[in-house]
Amino acid sequence: MQIYTLGSGPYSANTYIIIENGNAVVIDPSDGADSISDFVCGKNAEIKHILITHGHFDHVGAVYELSRTGALTAMSETDRKLIVFGSGNGVFDVRSNAFDVSDRVCDGDVLELIGHEFKVIATPGHTPGSVCYILDDEYIFTGDTLFRLSIGRTDFEYGNSADLMLSLKKLLSLPHDYKILPGHGQPTTLYFERRNNPYVH
């Protein structure tokens, strides 16, 4: 298994690509669908699944184009309802193209994709339907819930700081260390954030 990170969009969102035996899972395809497709193709792979941590435009901008190839998309039903296609996306005045959601994930769901396990953990706060994906009990794709030495904003519409604090407590109570791959910025570890993140104490 290989994990790749592509930074894209005006907010430098991280798009993650997991490849195994010629099959790919893409997490939070921000924009630049052609660039993502070309990258995956360059690895002799095909996109099979798209996982979305939350519905903000900078994490779903390329979903429509990528899903046209037949890739199946998963996200929470709560955040799916926040996306107003063809007009402002949730909070931001950014136009979005409609895409189908084949798997409407909930807390505790386990997705078996390309030979690996992706466990869903609900982490509301940044948006009501934010989720994280735990890959093979080793990596956590945290979207905009937890960053290196920071946390997601809650001053946008639908944000809730109390919910975010509960979600952070939930992540920090996980039983061991994990590699954290956030929606923006550099990777980190849960061990490091437990001891150094000023927002979690």
Side-chain angles (χ1 to χ4, degrees):
M1 178 183 71
Q2 296 292 325
I3 300 176
Y4 303 95
T5 308
L6 301 182
S8 61
Y11 295 95
S12 298
N14 292 327
T15 293
Y16 295 102
I17 301 169
I18 301 99
I19 296 179
E20 182 71 78
N21 293 326
N23 298 311
V25 173
V26 177
I27 298 180
D28 284 356
S30 173
D31 64 2
D34 288 343
S35 296
I36 295 170
S37 294
D38 289 346
F39 181 89
V40 173
C41 184
K43 300 295 182 183
N44 298 311
E46 180 180 356
I47 300 172
K48 296 294 188 180
H49 301 275
I50 300 167
L51 304 183
I52 300 171
T53 62
H54 66 290
H56 284 164
F57 79 95
D58 55 333
H59 295 260
V60 302
V63 173
Y64 170 73
E65 291 292 337
L66 295 179
S67 64
R68 293 176 68 189
T69 66
L72 302 177
T73 300
M75 71 181 300
S76 72
E77 173 67 3
T78 302
D79 265 25
R80 188 194 69 82
K81 291 178 179 178
L82 292 185
I83 301 176
V84 182
F85 293 118
S87 61
N89 167 263
V91 177
F92 307 95
D93 188 20
V94 176
R95 300 183 70 83
S96 301
N97 291 315
F99 55 84
D100 293 328
V101 176
S102 54
D103 292 305
R104 299 175 184 183
V105 297
C106 301
D107 188 54
D109 285 352
V110 177
L111 307 177
E112 299 286 346
L113 309 177
I114 67 169
H116 294 275
E117 180 180 281
F118 293 79
K119 183 177 180 180
V120 180
I121 179 169
T123 53
H126 181 66
T127 65
S130 288
V131 299
C132 298
Y133 296 97
I134 303 176
L135 169 58
D136 291 342
D137 208 32
E138 182 177 359
Y139 301 90
I140 309 179
F141 299 90
T142 56
D144 286 4
T145 296
L146 177 64
F147 305 124
R148 186 180 187 278
L149 297 175
S150 189
I151 60 174
R153 292 174 61 173
T154 58
D155 56 336
F156 297 132
E157 188 178 5
Y158 307 115
N160 186 301
S161 59
D163 284 348
L164 183 61
M165 289 300 107
L166 290 174
S167 294
L168 291 170
K169 183 177 180 180
K170 187 176 184 179
L171 288 176
L172 295 168
S173 67
L174 291 171
H176 59 264
D177 196 16
Y178 290 86
K179 296 166 185 165
I180 302 296
L181 299 175
H184 302 267
Q186 298 299 309
T188 182
T189 68
L190 201 59
Y191 180 91
F192 179 85
E193 298 309 316
R194 285 187 187 115
R195 286 154 179 76
N196 297 283
N197 192 314
Y199 294 94
V200 302
H201 297 293

